[in-house]
Amino acid sequence: GQNIDQPTEMTATEGAIVQINCTYQTSGFNGLFWYQQHAGEAPTFLSYNVLDGLEEKGRFSSFLSRSKGYSYLLLKELQMKDSASYLCAVRDYDRDDKIIFGKGTRLHILP
Amino acid sequence: EPEVTQTPSHQVTQMGQEVILRCVPISNHLYFYWYRQILGQKVEFLVSFYNNEISEKSEIFDDQFSVERPDGSNFTLKIRSTKLEDSAMYFCASSPGLAGAVGELFFGEGSRLTVL
């Protein structure tokens, strides 16, 4: 089976840095995704990790440790528009490569 | 930029009625998906579709649900007899490929289904 855990809610201040953690258990790990979802909207792709290490893309970075079943999304120089839910998702090759989502972390940005 | 389009954006129906949600995936994509999100809850996998057949489905996707690709562009989700608990946002997604590719999902804007 699959299990994806991430904090339900987090709060951070505009201009600061926040790290959103995700742990997962899956039999056939084949990549981890981070998506952003604003309320009432569709998820949008942020990042993808399949090998260990850090992937940087502008203000956002994502890290993966396959041996620990752990990832984090790092958001720098937070802006008010970053207030959203951040969804950790895992692809499982034992399940025909379907992508399964965690419950998401709702991030609140304070001015 | 190509995008996944879904219709209707919002549908209200009576319990027991049939509903068809429509999607036009990105034209050169090969893999198609339906996900749903009950208000305030997580995005849940329903079904994946490849090469004109279902490749994987979840326990949610019971006999009341079916998918079809009736022509080269549309991908539909049918709910035969809707229940109150089917009220949710239904997202269609497509992906260009799997092998050797990122395989990220491109989501449509969603169809909000309200069952009364």
Side-chain angles (χ1 to χ4, degrees):
Chain A
Q2 292 174 314
N3 194 36
I4 302 171
D5 287 313
Q6 49 183 134
T8 305
E9 288 191 78
M10 298 182 71
T11 302
T13 305
E14 191 177 15
I17 298 173
V18 71
Q19 177 174 312
I20 303 174
N21 297 323
C22 171
T23 57
Y24 64 88
Q25 294 171 315
T26 186
S27 55
F29 178 79
N30 193 22
L32 186 143
F33 301 80
W34 284 96
Y35 281 80
Q36 181 190 60
Q37 187 179 28
H38 286 99
E41 298 183 11
T44 54
F45 171 78
L46 289 178
S47 69
Y48 171 71
N49 295 71
V50 67
L51 300 176
D52 290 350
L54 189 69
E55 294 283 340
E56 297 186 78
K57 194 187 289 187
R59 294 190 297 115
F60 293 4
S61 304
S62 57
F63 172 83
L64 175 67
S65 168
R66 289 172 297 170
S67 62
K68 296 180 179 176
Y70 167 70
S71 173
Y72 67 72
L73 179 70
L74 192 72
L75 293 77
K76 302 176 187 175
E77 301 169 18
L78 286 170
Q79 301 174 10
M80 297 304 293
K81 67 178 182 179
D82 297 329
S83 291
S85 288
Y86 291 85
L87 316 181
C88 177
V90 172
R91 186 164 65 186
D92 185 350
Y93 64 69
D94 278 347
R95 296 293 188 93
D96 200 41
D97 269 336
K98 73 178 182 183
I99 296 173
I100 299 299
F101 286 82
K103 293 182 178 180
T105 299
R106 190 171 301 172
L107 177 63
H108 305 277
I109 309 296
L110 303 177
Chain B
E1 187 173 326
E3 58 182 19
V4 177
T5 57
Q6 290 186 240
T7 54
S9 56
H10 189 190
Q11 181 154 358
V12 181
T13 190
Q14 295 291 324
M15 190 170 56
Q17 295 297 303
E18 177 183 282
V19 160
I20 297 176
L21 305 179
R22 292 183 167 78
C23 170
V24 179
I26 296 173
S27 63
N28 62 347
H29 284 191
L30 301 177
Y31 294 83
F32 314 118
Y33 308 84
W34 283 100
Y35 284 80
R36 80 171 185 190
Q37 188 174 33
I38 295 170
L39 187 63
Q41 299 187 24
K42 70 175 182 178
V43 176
E44 299 176 290
F45 171 82
L46 291 178
V47 66
S48 58
F49 193 88
Y50 170 70
N51 201 26
N52 285 320
E53 61 182 24
I54 291 173
S55 52
E56 182 78 18
K57 60 184 180 179
S58 72
E59 58 276 6
I60 302 169
F61 194 88
D62 61 21
D63 292 343
Q64 294 298 315
F65 291 87
S66 62
V67 289
E68 202 174 43
R69 190 157 161 82
D71 52 43
S73 60
N74 290 286
F75 179 51
T76 62
L77 174 69
K78 182 193 290 187
I79 309 174
R80 249 178 286 282
S81 177
T82 49
K83 303 186 287 286
L84 295 177
E85 53 265 38
D86 293 329
S87 294
M89 181 74 92
Y90 288 81
F91 291 109
C92 174
S94 67
S95 176
L98 290 176
V102 171
E104 71 185 81
L105 299 175
F106 293 78
F107 283 88
E109 290 299 309
S111 293
R112 181 169 297 285
L113 176 64
T114 302
V115 182
L116 302 177

